[in-house]
Amino acid sequence: MTLKGARLLGDCHAVFAPPPFEQTFARFLQGKPVLVPFDYYFEEILGKITQFLEEGDVAFLIPGDLTFYSPFQALVDTLGEKAEVVPGVGTANAASAQLKKTLDLPGVSNRAILASPRTLGDAENAPTLQELAAPGVTLLIYMNNIPLPQLVAQLKSGYGKNVPIAIAHRLGLPGEEIVTGDLGDIVGKVGQRDFFNLDGKDRRPALTLVVVGETLAAKVDGTWWDYRRENIWKHRN
Ligand SMILES: C[S@@+](CC[C@H](N)C(=O)[O-])C[C@H]1O[C@@H](n2cnc3c(N)ncnc32)[C@H](O)[C@@H]1O
């Protein structure tokens, strides 16, 4: 969370927070009504917000922020000027930090693609993950609903070779697990763990991000640094 987010959350009157954020941010929420946003249909939640606004500001504590795959756009659009969006730390940022890897690396990866098989499945002519996976691509897969062996088979076919992969589960939350490997060994390393909630009764996407691409295992020496020093940063008279 940013400092601005923390200040607004501390000062607000009521909070909507899906689990587990009411626990992880409990110290900002003391004494405030805390509700789960998805317990309400849209008109109902608008009514609740209007009611709470009579007492003070209302905050939504959401995973990451609005940037990618946020279900909160309809609320922001409907509330118009009344809504303020505060940037936060998204899953892509948290994963990069945890893996200690930049997701594009000159000479190794020249583009990062964010995708989800759930939303790709919505459109008729949308590309498959296999079509998005290619040498030079770092792929970030949100809300995966494909069993891991099948996902790995699609990725192998797209990349045309074995590449590194990381499965980041509950980043920054209690129960965090990060499994790193490559397309050849990741299925064995994950074993029976249901990181994507494919066996669960509810249909909620698991808090798991898949990151794939050569940048995850690339080692970088100081050559590029010195090139930049020489050609970009050096003082010229
Ligand atoms: C509805 S999207 C929200 C993404 C959010 N806007 C962001 O950028 O972090 C939910 C998906 O984001 C990913 N995700 C969210 N929180 C996560 C976490 N703590 N650890 C790993 N993945 C997470 C998972 O792929 C999950 O299925």
Side-chain angles (χ1 to χ4, degrees):
M1 194 191 302
T2 59
L3 294 175
K4 182 176 180 182
R7 178 171 54 77
L8 292 176
L9 191 57
D11 291 348
C12 75
H13 163 70
V15 180
F16 286 90
F21 303 103
E22 82 291 0
Q23 290 165 24
T24 48
F25 291 97
R27 69 193 169 99
F28 296 98
L29 310 181
Q30 279 164 15
K32 302 178 197 295
V34 180
L35 292 87
V36 177
F38 307 114
D39 281 351
Y40 302 93
Y41 288 103
F42 196 65
E43 286 303 321
E44 290 174 340
I45 201 164
L46 287 176
K48 282 271 167 205
I49 293 170
T50 308
Q51 199 184 322
F52 284 136
L53 281 175
E54 285 171 17
E55 308 290 328
D57 286 340
V58 179
F60 276 74
L61 187 50
I62 64 168
D65 64 10
L66 198 70
T67 319
F68 299 113
Y69 300 114
S70 176
F72 295 91
Q73 187 67 58
L75 277 178
V76 173
D77 288 351
T78 305
L79 292 168
E81 291 294 308
K82 280 190 201 154
E84 178 173 4
V85 178
V86 182
V89 179
T91 309
N93 309 92
S96 159
Q98 196 52 258
L99 296 166
K100 298 187 181 171
K101 290 292 177 189
T102 187
L103 300 181
D104 74 296
L105 192 63
V108 177
S109 161
N110 50 23
R111 58 212 189 276
I113 298 179
L114 291 98
S116 167
R118 279 192 190 236
T119 52
L120 283 175
D122 290 346
E124 233 171 59
N125 296 320
T128 61
L129 284 178
Q130 178 173 332
E131 285 163 334
L132 295 176
V137 170
T138 302
L139 196 52
L140 289 93
I141 305 171
Y142 289 70
M143 297 173 284
N144 175 51
N145 58 2
I146 303 175
L148 190 58
Q150 278 158 251
L151 178 67
V152 164
Q154 286 196 26
L155 296 172
K156 265 187 194 157
S157 159
Y159 280 100
K161 58 181 175 182
N162 194 8
V163 295
I165 180 169
I167 298 189
H169 181 60
R170 294 182 68 90
L171 279 162
L173 299 169
E176 179 182 88
E177 279 186 83
I178 295 167
V179 184
T180 55
D182 58 39
L183 297 178
D185 64 14
I186 196 72
V187 172
K189 283 185 168 177
V190 166
Q192 294 306 309
R193 286 175 282 184
D194 181 22
F195 283 141
F196 303 116
N197 194 26
L198 300 180
D199 302 336
K201 272 198 208 117
D202 66 63
R203 301 181 60 209
R204 295 176 193 175
L207 295 178
T208 307
L209 183 76
V210 181
V211 187
V212 201
E214 291 123 310
T215 190
L216 294 181
K219 287 270 181 285
V220 183
D221 64 19
T223 314
W224 177 239
W225 183 285
D226 285 346
Y227 175 88
R228 290 171 60 85
R229 158 88 186 103
E230 188 61 32
N231 295 285
I232 300 172
W233 287 96
K234 205 165 171 177
H235 288 286
R236 289 168 218 284
N237 296 322

